[in-house]
Amino acid sequence: SAFAAALAKLDASDVRTVANLTLVKEIVSWVFHDETACLLFKRNWSSNGTTYVAGWTLGWYATQFEGDDQIRERSACSIQRVERGRQARRGLRAAKTAPIKLSLA
């Protein structure tokens, strides 16, 4: 496991780091289900050729949704609406550039 690999790289006399890693592993194991939970720690994200950096502002933005179901629901609907608009515009642009086929029957 990644935990065992991290421990194997440590100096055995570095008890503070060993204790901290063990504590983190136990907390994560206790809070998240082994079979269904997935944690991804990543700072740089790429999408459609653009790189984004997830800084403190993304964390602050995400915490705004923790306790308010109504705001979370409205925000999810807004994000979906924006994405549907993007897809529709992309489809219209593709339709404008597609050759027109006429058939004389």
Side-chain angles (χ1 to χ4, degrees):
S1 73
F3 176 69
L7 281 179
K9 292 178 187 175
L10 293 176
D11 179 3
S13 65
D14 188 1
V15 293
R16 178 181 227 161
T17 303
V18 171
N20 285 337
L21 278 174
T22 304
L23 178 62
V24 168
K25 190 237 183 251
E26 288 303 313
I27 290 172
V28 169
S29 295
W30 182 64
V31 172
F32 298 101
H33 190 272
D34 288 342
E35 305 288 321
T36 58
C38 176
L39 300 176
L40 177 60
F41 299 94
K42 191 171 178 179
R43 181 171 167 82
N44 298 323
W45 295 84
S46 295
S47 174
N48 295 328
T50 303
T51 300
Y52 302 94
V53 177
W56 69 268
T57 52
L58 177 62
W60 176 78
Y61 177 77
T63 61
Q64 303 304 305
F65 302 110
E66 286 178 356
D68 196 329
D69 291 339
Q70 290 178 338
I71 289 176
R72 189 169 45 242
E73 183 67 27
R74 280 196 313 253
S75 295
C77 290
S78 294
I79 291 168
Q80 291 168 354
R81 190 170 33 255
V82 167
E83 182 56 27
R84 283 193 303 270
R86 269 193 207 132
Q87 290 174 356
R89 285 189 298 280
R90 217 175 288 133
L92 288 172
R93 277 194 297 266
K96 285 181 182 179
T97 60
I100 299 173
K101 294 180 183 178
L102 298 175
S103 68
L104 302 171

